[in-house]
Amino acid sequence: MKVAFLGLGVMGFPMAGHLKARGFDVTVYNRTEAKAKEWVAKHGGQHGATPAAAARGAEIVFMCVGNDNDLLQVAGGAEGALAGMSAGTILVDHTTASADAARKLYDLAKAQGVSFIDAPVSGGQAGAENGKLTVMCGGDPTAFDKAKPVMDSYGKAVTLMGASGAGQLTKMVNQICIAGLVQALSEGIAFAEKAKLDPLLVLEVISKGAAQSWQMENRGKTMVERKFNFGFAVDWMRKDLGICMEEAKRNGAKLPVTELIDKFYAEVQAAGGSRFDTSSLITRL
Ligand code: NAP
């Protein structure tokens, strides 16, 4: 099957690599062309000069870019993905964006006979590299059934959550659950240090009990070492928390801790940590 992947960042680069490894005929696009050339040199396949050029002839087009605006730019517009896609094909978006942007693109795609699936992911850089992402989807079941086996190339759990936008709403729940937890982990580690305990030994022990979490398992050690030059950027987390808070205004959900943690992340940004991993919350302490 001929597929395309648009956006070769921390996530997209390895995700597209898994598609190639599974035997798909992959054409990639990246705004900074050097990255696309680097991908082709590593994996084979080919690259297109614009999203439309890369998408032309593909049965399924995947994308993973930054925020709502980036998404609308790369999918729509004269040189956007949809301009290169024909009726009967599928556009899958792995960007974390608003449910509104997903529904907008669903309608835009539908008008030209293209199916759109919002499919944000969780599992971080390591999940993308190991091909073990959780993929939360919104859209039509027929299109999902066709795209799922392809997404299985990098997903360990690929699930249709409901109609268009349901994938993004599920990802919002995911981010709400993470925000307070990273702060709690930061406070725990900082407390262990003040208490003159060995923080790595503490984490090793308590990760076998009720305090265990993905963040503790995957970020605890690097937090103790104050290493943040990898992973999920603070800028992206603030974008995600902004999306959650906007949606909560609409649906009436209360997010007191999420709002507080968003302010803490603004402080990390102001101190120069925009591209730090989200575990850098501990630097405030
Ligand atoms: P990243 O490393 O910053 O990469 C972003 C990619 O999008 C780059 O390829 C960038 O191109 C491209 N891009 C951004 N704006 C664009 C535009 N207007 N036009 C064309 N290309 C554009 O980000 P990432 O960490 O891979 O994250 C991508 C998405 O996945 C985000 O929505 C993020 O919230 C989400 N996500 C990330 C993680 C994680 O752990 N990193 C986990 C789950 C979800 P250039 O190379 O030219 O800049």
Side-chain angles (χ1 to χ4, degrees), residues 137-202:
C137 304
D140 297 336
T142 320
F144 173 79
D145 288 344
K146 189 167 174 201
K148 183 189 179 294
V150 187
M151 289 190 267
D152 284 340
S153 306
Y154 42 75
K156 67 166 185 211
V158 183
T159 310
L160 183 64
M161 304 304 300
S164 181
Q168 294 297 354
L169 291 169
T170 306
K171 174 74 183 182
M172 291 174 211
V173 177
N174 188 80
Q175 300 308 75
I176 291 165
C177 293
I178 287 174
L181 200 150
V182 178
Q183 175 64 16
L185 185 55
S186 301
E187 291 181 15
I189 292 172
F191 182 97
E193 290 169 351
K194 291 277 186 211
K196 307 268 185 284
L197 291 165
D198 173 351
L200 290 178
L201 184 61
V202 170

Side-chain angles (χ1 to χ4, degrees), residues 3-4 14 16 21 27 34 39 50 62 68 111 124 139 152 158 205 209 214 232 253 257 263 267 271 273-274:
V3 302
T27 303
W39 189 93
T50 63
F62 299 91
D68 278 22
D152 284 340
V158 183
V205 170
W214 186 99
F232 183 50
V257 172
K263 293 195 181 87
E267 291 177 21
S274 293

Side-chain angles (χ1 to χ4, degrees), residues 7-12 29-32 35 64-66 70 73-74 94-96 121-122 124-125 171 231-232 236 239-240 275:
L8 303 172
V10 167
M11 301 299 281
Y29 160 81
N30 197 66
R31 177 179 57 187
T32 308
K35 219 37 184 309
C64 188
V65 292
D70 303 324
Q73 239 173 47
V74 175
H94 292 303
T95 310
T96 304
V121 300
S122 176
Q125 183 174 2
K171 174 74 183 182
F232 183 50
W236 287 153
K239 175 237 341 163
D240 292 2
R275 283 301 292 186

Side-chain angles (χ1 to χ4, degrees), residues 19-268:
L19 292 176
K20 192 72 181 67
R22 282 279 179 108
F24 294 103
D25 178 1
V26 186
T27 303
V28 295
Y29 160 81
N30 197 66
R31 177 179 57 187
T32 308
E33 202 183 11
K35 219 37 184 309
K37 287 186 173 156
E38 185 190 328
W39 189 93
V40 171
K42 184 169 179 194
H43 298 285
Q46 48 281 318
H47 83 277
T50 63
R56 203 157 286 128
E59 280 182 58
I60 309 183
V61 177
F62 299 91
M63 46 192 294
C64 188
V65 292
N67 58 24
D68 278 22
N69 284 340
D70 303 324
L71 172 59
L72 296 169
Q73 239 173 47
V74 175
E79 302 200 314
L82 284 169
M85 296 177 72
S86 42
T89 60
I90 304 171
L91 178 59
V92 176
D93 177 39
H94 292 303
T95 310
T96 304
S98 69
D100 266 4
R103 293 185 200 112
K104 207 178 278 174
L105 277 176
Y106 176 90
D107 290 340
L108 204 65
K110 196 168 186 176
Q112 65 176 77
V114 173
S115 300
F116 178 82
I117 301 174
D118 49 298
V121 300
S122 176
Q125 183 174 2
E129 286 167 358
N130 304 331
K132 294 209 161 71
L133 291 169
T134 296
V135 191
M136 307 150 236
C137 304
D140 297 336
T142 320
F144 173 79
D145 288 344
K146 189 167 174 201
K148 183 189 179 294
V150 187
M151 289 190 267
D152 284 340
S153 306
Y154 42 75
K156 67 166 185 211
V158 183
T159 310
L160 183 64
M161 304 304 300
S164 181
Q168 294 297 354
L169 291 169
T170 306
K171 174 74 183 182
M172 291 174 211
V173 177
N174 188 80
Q175 300 308 75
I176 291 165
C177 293
I178 287 174
L181 200 150
V182 178
Q183 175 64 16
L185 185 55
S186 301
E187 291 181 15
I189 292 172
F191 182 97
E193 290 169 351
K194 291 277 186 211
K196 307 268 185 284
L197 291 165
D198 173 351
L200 290 178
L201 184 61
V202 170
L203 290 175
E204 193 187 317
V205 170
I206 68 172
S207 66
K208 294 188 176 62
Q212 189 274 345
S213 66
W214 186 99
Q215 299 293 336
M216 187 177 282
E217 296 273 327
N218 291 278
R219 295 291 185 266
K221 184 168 182 290
T222 44
M223 286 168 84
V224 171
E225 292 165 348
R226 304 296 194 270
K227 285 189 186 151
F228 309 113
N229 194 18
F230 65 99
F232 183 50
V234 167
D235 277 353
W236 287 153
M237 186 57 159
R238 285 214 72 211
K239 175 237 341 163
D240 292 2
L241 298 182
I243 291 170
C244 297
M245 292 186 290
E246 271 304 306
E247 192 65 39
K249 267 190 222 157
R250 262 191 295 270
N251 70 18
K254 298 217 164 23
L255 301 176
V257 172
T258 306
E259 283 168 17
L260 184 65
I261 304 303
D262 180 58
K263 293 195 181 87
F264 289 173
Y265 274 125
E267 291 177 21
V268 177

